[in-house]
Amino acid sequence: MIYLFAEFSKPHFYLAVASSILLIVAYFTFRSKHIYLVDFVCYRPPDHLRVTLANFVEHYEDYKFDHRESIEFQAKVLEKSGIGDQACVPLPVHELPPNTSLKLAREEVEEVLFSIVGTLLSKKKINPKTIDILVSNCSLFCPTPSITSMIINKFGFRSNVKSVSLSGMGCSAGILAINLAKDLLKVQKNLLALVLSMEAVSPNGYLGRKKSMLIGNTIFRMGGAAILLSNRKQDMKIAKYELMHLIRTHVGSDDEAYSSVIQMPDQDGFVGVSLSRAIVHVASKALTINMSELGPLVLPYSEQLRFAWSLVCRKVMQTVSRKKEVYVPNFKKAFEHFCIHAGGRAVIDAMESNLKLQKEGAEASRMTLYRFGNTSSSSVCGFKTNSAVWKCISDIDLEEENAWFDRINSYPVDTDSIFAEVNALYVYMTVILLTLSKERLLTEEFQKCHLDHPVDAMKSNLKLWEEDAQHSYIAER
């Protein structure tokens, strides 16, 4: 071998090395890098799990009647949250007292994920044994066996499926799970990946009095999503979207950001998730970093030049008392639709302001918040902040059954006018409710309000509630 190598001419040797390098480069360049979103299914809770504003206050008044300040605070937060009366919580939360057992938490996961996985597989006629990658995320509920093991056992996935269960990653976990699946799909061709995203509500209610922890009781609702990803060329014809970019930003090295959402016990030992006042500021800061990385990938050169020029002008005018505002790129020139995390009205407002969007630009997120509430990681992004760019590659079938199918004709709604009228009535209602004794139950009319026409129902029954409360109050005295 040494002799043959010595006799090998240099030109031929260089040619062989160059050819090898070109082949390697060609392999990595021309191999399929496309990630397709074949289809997805969102969980649609049954109507009997809806919790209206009236039901919420009644429930807490009856269970925690002595925590009047806590009830008033939560009612005020809920009034301003942007969440409507069709959002749902799992059955254990409807119980008095709320049941936080491991058994019922597991049943909630099974109810949500078994439902959407079964629907997605049957809809696309997918044999569970053809799934190569399974990724699940659920931040605050991490059982043993794991959530992915529950799915594998239920549907009979094959033994060599690559499964990962993510936890503790908050509202960003949905995008993080897709990012992990994307990275795994880059390793080998002709794979199918199933991504499951949800948050378990029933085991995570907070029973204390700390206001920063009470917020979670009011805004989080049940939900889930199952997403089928593929890197197979044949799936391009049936896929709905193609993943173009996914940018992750993690500002956890900053103490303010790190503690903006944190699970911990309060001074009385009650465990809850604390949402700090700085959360909107932190999200805005993370969004700025994230958009600065995403912008060069998607914005036209004209917008990038305007942004760069504004930075130069701001730098030059630093000595001037009034600094020149940095130009915010027009992302509408890059995207047709924006899917902002439905974390709350303040979150959507902040994102809308930072991106300089018109009201229509955030309409989808506002209606999702109103209809489903904050479903945490089964929504599209969160406070880390992460962003995914999807390109629609097929015509969407408007007749296809989905989570909006049965009531899309009722949307969009004018949430500002609805909540303005409801809030005015409910301020008075809350005062009345807090005069009721612990043993006193409200009338059936009160329990049925808000189901279909919340404002009209509240108006027609307000006098009845007032008389009922006055009679109870007088009888006790």
Side-chain angles (χ1 to χ4, degrees):
M1 293 297 293
I2 297 175
Y3 174 79
L4 290 173
F5 182 79
E7 290 292 312
F8 197 70
S9 65
K10 288 188 176 180
H12 288 86
F13 174 75
Y14 293 145
L15 180 61
V17 172
S19 299
S20 301
I21 293 174
L22 286 174
L23 287 173
I24 294 172
V25 171
Y27 171 77
F28 285 103
T29 301
F30 295 106
R31 70 174 182 170
S32 176
K33 293 184 178 180
H34 299 285
I35 305 297
Y36 302 110
L37 192 159
V38 179
D39 210 340
F40 65 94
V41 171
C42 295
Y43 178 70
R44 182 174 58 188
D47 286 343
H48 70 270
L49 295 179
R50 290 187 293 180
V51 55
T52 68
L53 187 59
N55 294 148
F56 181 90
V57 174
E58 174 198 359
H59 193 79
Y60 270 86
E61 192 279 335
D62 189 64
Y63 173 55
K64 295 165 69 71
F65 71 101
D66 57 326
H67 294 186
R68 297 190 176 186
E69 185 179 350
S70 298
I71 297 173
E72 291 174 350
F73 173 76
Q74 290 178 91
K76 187 181 296 183
V77 171
L78 188 55
E79 288 164 12
K80 298 178 180 180
S81 67
I83 300 173
D85 295 324
Q86 295 181 353
C88 299
V89 295
L91 191 61
V93 181
H94 287 271
E95 297 181 9
L96 285 175
N99 193 326
T100 60
S101 69
L102 176 64
K103 177 178 180 294
L104 292 184
R106 184 180 289 274
E107 288 179 1
E108 179 190 347
V109 173
E110 292 174 349
E111 159 65 22
V112 174
L113 294 187
F114 288 1
S115 170
I116 57 179
V117 171
T119 301
L120 181 59
L121 294 179
S122 62
K123 179 182 178 182
K124 305 308 295 184
K125 296 180 173 56
I126 299 291
N127 185 333
K129 294 188 182 299
T130 63
I131 300 295
D132 303 286
I133 300 167
L134 177 63
V135 181
S136 74
N137 66 263
C138 185
S139 293
L140 297 178
F141 182 61
C142 188
T144 300
S146 66
I147 290 177
T148 53
S149 294
M150 294 164 63
I151 300 298
I152 291 170
N153 177 261
K154 171 67 177 178
F155 294 95
F157 285 34
R158 65 178 194 264
S159 60
N160 65 340
V161 63
K162 300 174 180 63
S163 64
V164 181
S165 294
L166 302 177
S167 65
M169 307 191 82
C171 297
S172 284
I175 294 292
L176 296 175
I178 289 176
N179 185 74
L180 175 59
K182 178 206 70 172
D183 290 343
L184 293 173
L185 288 170
K186 293 289 187 181
V187 176
Q188 188 177 339
K189 295 189 295 183
N190 298 320
L191 299 180
L192 281 177
L194 181 61
V195 177
L196 309 176
S197 182
M198 71 164 294
E199 186 56 76
V201 177
S202 57
N204 296 304
Y206 173 63
L207 303 178
R209 306 188 187 190
K210 190 173 181 179
K211 290 184 177 180
S212 64
M213 294 182 173
L214 288 170
I215 296 174
N217 289 347
T218 65
I219 64 174
F220 289 110
R221 299 291 187 270
M222 69 184 305
I227 303 116
L228 183 64
L229 300 177
S230 171
N231 63 2
R232 305 188 307 187
K233 290 182 179 180
Q234 66 265 31
D235 289 330
M236 180 179 68
K237 297 178 180 179
I238 62 172
K240 292 186 174 181
Y241 304 94
E242 181 181 352
L243 181 61
M244 307 304 293
H245 306 286
L246 198 153
I247 305 297
R248 294 179 56 179
T249 301
H250 199 307
V251 292
S253 59
D254 178 78
D255 290 341
E256 184 181 50
Y258 177 78
S259 59
S260 61
V261 181
I262 186 169
Q263 186 182 33
M264 62 181 184
D266 64 10
Q267 63 275 14
D268 298 318
F270 293 106
V271 176
V273 177
S274 175
L275 305 176
S276 76
R277 293 176 180 269
I279 194 168
V280 175
H281 170 70
V282 167
S284 177
K285 179 181 177 181
L287 176 66
T288 301
I289 299 172
N290 189 271
M291 290 295 104
S292 67
E293 295 183 31
L294 180 63
L297 299 175
V298 298
L299 287 171
Y301 291 126
S302 58
E303 288 298 304
Q304 295 187 48
L305 288 172
R306 292 185 67 180
F307 175 70
W309 178 248
S310 70
L311 288 177
V312 172
C313 293
R314 182 180 175 86
K315 190 74 174 178
V316 171
M317 298 182 66
Q318 276 186 346
T319 56
V320 182
S321 57
R322 186 175 181 179
K323 292 184 178 180
K324 183 177 177 64
E325 184 177 350
V326 175
Y327 173 72
V328 176
N330 184 0
F331 279 90
K332 289 181 290 185
K333 292 187 177 181
F335 308 123
E336 294 184 45
H337 305 282
F338 296 85
C339 298
I340 302 169
H341 171 52
R345 180 182 290 182
V347 174
I348 297 174
D349 287 345
M351 298 282 280
E352 184 181 73
S353 175
N354 279 309
L355 293 175
K356 303 293 183 184
L357 300 178
Q358 299 296 323
K359 187 175 182 180
E360 292 76 14
E363 181 181 273
S365 295
R366 292 190 191 280
M367 294 306 101
T368 299
L369 177 66
Y370 182 81
R371 166 72 176 86
F372 295 100
N374 182 346
T375 58
S376 188
S377 57
S378 64
S379 187
V380 292
C381 68
F383 298 118
K384 292 261 186 312
T385 299
N386 305 307
S387 56
V389 178
W390 299 95
K391 179 182 178 180
C392 184
I393 57 175
S394 67
D395 295 329
I396 303 301
D397 183 5
L398 299 179
E399 300 300 320
E400 183 181 85
E401 186 171 350
N402 53 52
W404 291 92
F405 179 77
D406 61 336
R407 59 200 73 188
I408 188 61
N409 293 331
S410 302
Y411 291 85
V413 298
D414 186 355
T415 55
D416 291 336
S417 62
I418 288 178
F419 283 108
E421 192 167 0
V422 170
N423 291 350
L425 289 169
Y426 213 80
V427 168
Y428 186 41
M429 270 181 46
T430 302
V431 175
I432 294 172
L433 285 172
L434 292 177
T435 64
L436 297 176
S437 66
K438 178 183 179 183
E439 293 75 23
R440 180 72 174 179
L441 296 177
L442 299 179
T443 62
E444 291 184 3
E445 284 75 17
F446 182 83
Q447 296 173 349
K448 293 177 181 178
C449 78
H450 276 202
L451 292 182
D452 298 307
H453 304 286
V455 175
D456 293 339
M458 292 176 71
K459 283 181 175 178
S460 63
N461 290 304
L462 184 57
K463 185 175 181 180
L464 174 64
W465 299 333
E466 181 178 4
E467 291 175 353
D468 187 64
Q470 288 176 346
H471 292 160
S472 298
Y473 184 80
I474 293 172
E476 286 191 353
R477 292 297 181 274

